[in-house]
Amino acid sequence: MGQYSALKTALKALIGGIDGSPSYTIDLSASDAVSQERFSRDSSALIPRAYLTPGSPAVQYRSRTDYNDLGSFGSVASFDLAIVVEPADGSNGARVLAAELAMDDLIKALGSNQDLSGTALSVEASLDVIQGSELGSSDYGIVFGTITALFLEVF
């Protein structure tokens, strides 16, 4: 398995570990709760789950001149993420709150596994909360953003 695939597998497992237990508010532990399908902005296609796909660019390769080992190269992997969640009720406030709670859960999960099970040197998340109504659906709250991971390739 290549490094990018290993990062994606670790990130998918981390998101799937958000299980509604006392530590988390939402539950993404079902086998189909983390999809590798591209997130659709078509409101009729929205399904409550996490959507994890390659970002753009998927990988930025950089030679690492600050390392003494000339066989080491640092790269950045990028993943697009959308988490669609159902609110407690249909109000705008409930949609925003549901998405904020999902974002909090993701940040907790990332904080508890900062190196993605040893596959990354560091991880960053750039996230935003939107209401489904911004996509023409009044049913969901959505966390949308990018997760980037710095990793080291040794040849």
Side-chain angles (χ1 to χ4, degrees), residues 85-101 129-133 138 140-142:
V85 290
E86 293 186 73
D89 63 57
S91 69
N92 288 341
R95 285 192 295 273
V96 170
L97 178 61
E100 288 173 345
L101 292 171
V129 169
I130 62 173
Q131 300 175 42
S133 58
S138 60
Y140 305 112
I142 302 168

Side-chain angles (χ1 to χ4, degrees), residues 5-150:
S5 295
L7 286 162
K8 188 173 182 180
T9 298
L11 191 52
K12 185 177 179 191
L14 178 126
I15 294 166
I18 299 173
D19 61 3
S21 68
S23 299
Y24 298 112
T25 306
I26 64 170
D27 186 354
L28 294 170
S29 62
S31 62
D32 64 346
V34 183
S35 172
Q36 295 184 58
E37 297 173 15
R38 188 114 356 234
F39 174 74
S40 172
R41 292 181 180 266
D42 175 7
S43 63
S44 65
L46 290 179
I47 299 171
R49 65 168 55 156
Y51 297 83
L52 180 67
T53 56
S56 180
V59 173
Q60 292 179 314
Y61 170 82
R62 295 186 280 191
S63 102
R64 301 291 295 201
T65 58
D66 56 338
Y67 288 103
N68 289 329
D69 178 5
L70 296 178
S72 297
F73 298 89
S75 297
V76 177
S78 176
F79 302 92
D80 289 336
L81 176 69
I83 302 175
V84 179
V85 290
E86 293 186 73
D89 63 57
S91 69
N92 288 341
R95 285 192 295 273
V96 170
L97 178 61
E100 288 173 345
L101 292 171
M103 184 172 59
D104 287 345
D105 284 352
L106 177 62
I107 297 301
K108 280 183 208 172
L110 287 168
S112 69
N113 189 352
Q114 295 177 7
D115 68 353
L116 295 179
S117 301
T119 60
L121 296 174
S122 66
V123 178
E124 292 182 11
S126 298
L127 305 168
D128 201 2
V129 169
I130 62 173
Q131 300 175 42
S133 58
E134 294 176 43
L135 301 177
S137 169
S138 60
D139 296 334
Y140 305 112
I142 302 168
V143 178
F144 191 76
T146 302
I147 296 177
T148 55
L150 175 66

